[in-house]
């Protein structure tokens, strides 16, 4: 049983997120998504449209996701990888190199981001449309 782990805010879930989750899941048999809490989003200077609970419900409905747990800070990755026995850590390549310290504990894979889509862009467009 190959276990994959990935991290993110996954706000206003879009096909770029799904493309990442699909490819991450395809690297193993079980995908754990560590979902940024609302408080941690503030640390990341991100405000999400949906709350943690709402983003969790949406992700849990995704066929590629097996478990959703909270991400509270930058420091929890080594513990998570060990606690959840992750064999592979996956992130989009906008993070390339940032998490290589995890190579001691598991395989680290950076996947190409899906171009031209991001939650911020979607939210801006919707805001303009409504105004
Ligand atoms: N992503 C992607 N293509 C996009 C947008 C996002 O492949 N067009 C990927 C990102 O690279 C990331 C994942 O989808 O791997 C989630 O994206 P975000 O929610 O923006 O995650 P981020 O805020 O980068 O959080 O500790 C790590 C952080 O929590 C990562």
């Amino acid at each position: 049983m190959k276990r994959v782990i990935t991290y993110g805010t996954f706000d206003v879930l879009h096909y770029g997120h799904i493309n990442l989750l699909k490819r991450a899941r395809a690297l193993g048999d079980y995908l754990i998504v560590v979902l940024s809490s609302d408080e941690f989003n503030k640390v990341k200077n991100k405000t999400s449209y949906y709350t943690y609970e709402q983003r969790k419900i949406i992700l849990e409905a995704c066929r590629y996701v097996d478990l959703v747990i909270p991400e509270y800070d930058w420091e929890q990755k080594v513990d998570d990888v060990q606690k959840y026995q992750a064999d592979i850590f996956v992130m989009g390549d906008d993070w390339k190199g940032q998490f290589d310290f995890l190579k001691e504990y598991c395989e680290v894979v950076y996947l190409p981001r899906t171009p031209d889509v991001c939650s911020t862009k979607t939210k801006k467009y919707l805001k303009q449309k409504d105004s």
Side-chain angles (χ1 to χ4, degrees):
M1 160 92 116
K2 218 168 212 197
R3 300 161 69 86
V4 186
I5 194 166
T6 191
Y7 291 69
T9 298
F10 293 100
D11 191 29
V12 187
L13 203 67
H14 54 64
Y15 63 92
H17 293 135
I18 298 298
N19 195 21
L20 186 282
L21 296 169
K22 181 176 183 176
R23 288 175 293 160
R25 174 66 178 73
L27 293 172
D29 313 285
Y30 187 88
L31 176 60
I32 302 154
V33 177
V34 191
L35 183 61
S36 305
S37 66
D38 297 326
E39 299 73 26
F40 183 51
N41 270 336
K42 289 195 186 91
V43 172
K44 294 199 299 186
N45 287 325
K46 274 194 162 186
T47 46
S48 62
Y49 180 76
Y50 291 121
T51 65
Y52 172 81
E53 282 311 319
Q54 291 165 338
R55 289 180 283 122
K56 182 170 187 281
I57 289 168
I58 296 167
L59 272 177
E60 284 173 340
C62 175
R63 66 187 313 164
Y64 305 116
V65 176
D66 296 288
L67 177 68
V68 180
I69 57 169
E71 178 183 30
Y72 296 113
D73 59 47
W74 293 112
E75 315 311 321
Q76 69 185 79
K77 291 186 175 66
V78 172
D79 290 347
D80 291 346
V81 166
Q82 292 175 313
K83 183 176 170 192
Y84 291 93
Q85 300 167 308
D87 302 289
I88 310 174
F89 168 89
V90 175
M91 286 301 291
D93 61 4
D94 46 318
W95 290 95
K96 195 162 180 59
Q98 302 300 310
F99 302 116
D100 289 357
F101 63 87
L102 288 170
K103 284 182 177 171
E104 246 180 276
Y105 306 94
C106 62
E107 208 182 320
V108 174
V109 175
Y110 300 104
L111 296 173
R113 266 175 80 92
T114 303
D116 308 327
V117 63
C118 73
S119 311
T120 318
K121 211 166 132 186
T122 313
K123 288 186 270 190
K124 260 199 203 117
Y125 170 77
L126 291 173
K127 214 172 258 170
Q128 274 154 12
K129 221 159 126 325
D130 284 354
S131 54

